[in-house]
Amino acid sequence: MSLLRSSPPVPAPPPAARRVIRLNNGFQLLFNLLWWMPVFYAYQRDAGLSDGQIFGIQSIYYIAFCLFEIPTGIVADRIGARNCLRAGAVVMTAANLAPVLAPTYTGFLAHFLAIAAGRSLASGAASAYLYDGLRAERAEGHYLKAEGTARALGLAAKVVCWPLVGPLMTLAPQTPYVLSAVCAAGSLGCALALPRLATPGTDTRRRDRARRGGGPLRDTGAALRVLWSSPWLALLMVQGVAVFTLSRICQVNLFQPVLLEHGIGESTHGSVLAAMTVAEAVASARPQWLSRRLPPAGWVSLLSVALALVLAGTAVGGPWTVVALLCAFAAITGFVYPVQRKLVNDAIPVDAPRATLLSVESIVDRGVCAAAAVAAGACLAAGRLDALLWYSAAITCALMPALHLALRRTGPRGAPAGKDHAGPDTGGPDTPAPDEPVSLPVDEGAAPRA
């Protein structure tokens, strides 16, 4: 199954474009290298927080991310992508120091709220600056490869660094947070070194439109009208909610509780998360391994059910089985993300506000994650982790077939009902061309959620 069109060879980028690519790679790697990710749950428990408090903070984090998506996008349009990246790096540096200075509930809450603000500032601005910077140097043909390289380098850094977290914590428990702050400060250095764009790009036009007023409201209204007139697109977005929620809740919120439940100590959490990252990275780069006999929407439904069943399987396996199942979970996530992203982007009309529609999907995804985090915290506080895993599998297995049936009956506008809009080969007569290929972004393996 070909998910991206083949493109003709492009000449090597000029020196100025190579500088933009190098600085973008450095920014993305350092900004997203959170050393504390494998151990933050255990760290907060050692600081005296209960499961209810820990997952309550996570729920607030997801809600805050939803709320920050729109205003940070407006800020980026007004002050420019480069300045927005600098602001995001400053916020992330301070955010990573909060648990060191105040290892309390208030300190951890401030930490995650600042993380949400910093990542919201950079999530869309990074891709926007890279695209405009390469286009200004007439090297836009290298954008897709540059985005993929940045993601690959970020994953490789996590694979190398996360196994070191356990030994480093034996020296000083605060080390992962201090190292994360150092990396965020390094990303600020990369952002400061980013050159001013040689020619005005789309970012400038967006700022001019925002100053004239009505731009954000106009795009939001247009996005809602597109969703109202295209049940197919709306259902595809709802289908993706299951993928995002299961992967996010497992890999961030339930990852450490599951390992601790099976007697796997904190010192090995970084190694397990690194192994999961390798599995996801390999699968993300190999969507062509999926058979063409099943259409993309069918693969998303099937793999979503597989995610739920594999996650439920961690409730009954031993330590090694659990590690293997978590790696399988990550690999399935790697397969399903690009397929689901391609489906949604192909379903968005050419003249529709693509970024705004993807932001709407992001808000819905994170809103569901906020509710799921509250439920997960309540189950953990009651000592019912296994029940939570089985309930998640049962709900997913019940909803996905019904949703897939609705997709088949709805069908895309202009195609027969029951026929998948985005077939295995893009660019065919039944598939409207998207505005441009959408690469896998650097944040959480998800689509650009500006």
Side-chain angles (χ1 to χ4, degrees):
M1 176 172 59
S2 176
L3 294 174
L4 291 175
R5 289 182 180 84
S6 60
S7 56
V10 294
R18 289 199 296 269
R19 182 187 179 203
V20 169
I21 292 173
R22 286 195 300 269
L23 289 172
N24 175 72
N25 289 343
F27 178 87
Q28 300 285 17
L29 188 156
L30 295 170
F31 186 86
N32 293 288
L33 185 54
L34 303 178
W35 291 73
W36 48 263
M37 183 66 74
V39 294
F40 79 92
Y41 172 79
Y43 188 89
Q44 291 180 75
R45 287 186 64 183
D46 292 342
L49 274 67
S50 66
D51 285 335
Q53 290 176 316
I54 293 172
F55 282 86
I57 290 175
Q58 287 296 293
S59 179
I60 295 172
Y61 165 76
Y62 289 124
I63 294 173
F65 215 129
C66 292
L67 297 177
F68 289 149
E69 282 281 356
I70 296 176
T72 53
I74 296 174
V75 168
D77 285 340
R78 289 184 176 274
I79 70 175
R82 186 177 63 159
N83 290 330
C84 203
L85 293 178
R86 295 171 177 176
V90 171
V91 174
M92 283 292 285
T93 303
N96 287 315
L97 291 175
V100 178
L101 301 176
T104 62
Y105 175 85
T106 302
F108 287 116
L109 178 59
H111 162 70
F112 275 102
L113 288 176
I115 291 289
R119 297 183 77 168
S120 295
L121 283 166
S123 61
S127 292
Y129 179 86
L130 177 62
Y131 186 82
D132 286 342
L134 293 180
R135 186 173 58 180
E137 301 298 334
R138 301 185 183 279
E140 58 268 27
H142 294 274
Y143 170 75
L144 190 62
K145 182 179 179 181
E147 281 277 24
T149 300
R151 174 173 169 77
L153 291 174
L155 290 172
K158 292 173 183 178
V159 171
V160 172
C161 295
W162 277 344
L164 304 176
V165 171
L168 288 173
M169 287 189 70
T170 61
L171 301 177
Q174 304 87 358
T175 302
Y177 289 95
V178 174
L179 289 176
S180 298
V182 171
C183 289
S187 72
L188 175 60
C190 293
L192 291 172
L194 287 171
R196 185 183 298 274
L197 297 185
T199 59
T202 56
D203 189 51
T204 303
R205 290 198 296 271
R206 289 192 199 105
R207 291 199 302 274
D208 292 341
R209 188 176 65 215
R211 290 190 185 103
R212 290 197 300 267
L217 291 178
R218 183 168 54 249
D219 285 350
T220 301
L224 294 177
R225 286 192 295 272
V226 169
L227 287 175
W228 178 260
S229 62
S230 177
W232 167 259
L233 174 59
L235 285 172
L236 287 176
M237 289 184 173
V238 173
Q239 186 187 42
V241 169
V243 175
F244 184 84
T245 303
L246 285 171
S247 61
R248 182 69 182 176
I249 292 297
C250 172
Q251 294 177 321
V252 175
N253 301 113
L254 294 181
F255 162 74
Q256 294 173 75
V258 167
L259 293 182
L260 293 172
E261 180 77 11
H262 290 83
I264 301 175
E266 301 171 19
S267 61
T268 61
H269 288 190
S271 298
V272 175
L273 196 54
M276 292 173 63
T277 302
V278 171
E280 182 177 354
V282 171
S284 294
R286 300 293 186 275
Q288 65 272 19
W289 288 354
L290 299 177
S291 171
R292 296 163 59 93
R293 296 180 180 179
L294 192 65
W299 273 118
V300 174
S301 296
L302 181 62
L303 293 176
S304 297
V305 172
L307 284 174
L309 293 177
V310 170
L311 185 58
T314 60
V316 296
W320 285 106
T321 302
V322 167
V323 172
L325 287 173
L326 289 175
C327 289
F329 183 96
I332 296 172
T333 301
F335 278 128
V336 72
Y337 261 131
V339 179
Q340 197 270 339
R341 289 295 85 211
K342 186 63 176 170
L343 271 171
V344 171
N345 276 284
D346 279 349
I348 296 175
V350 174
D351 57 348
R354 182 178 301 272
T356 304
L357 282 165
L358 293 176
S359 292
V360 170
E361 184 188 21
S362 177
I363 290 171
V364 174
D365 287 345
R366 297 184 187 278
V368 175
C369 278
V374 172
C379 288
L380 283 175
R384 303 185 63 189
L385 175 60
D386 291 355
L388 171 64
L389 299 177
W390 288 114
Y391 288 154
S392 300
I395 292 172
T396 303
C397 291
L399 291 180
M400 290 310 298
L403 181 60
H404 188 71
L405 180 61
L407 277 168
R408 289 180 61 85
R409 289 185 174 180
T410 303
R413 184 174 57 189
K419 182 176 181 179
D420 284 313
H421 177 49
D425 293 314
T426 61
D430 294 324
T431 304
D435 290 343
E436 60 191 51
V438 178
S439 63
L440 292 176
V442 297
D443 182 22
E444 304 166 11
R449 300 176 183 273

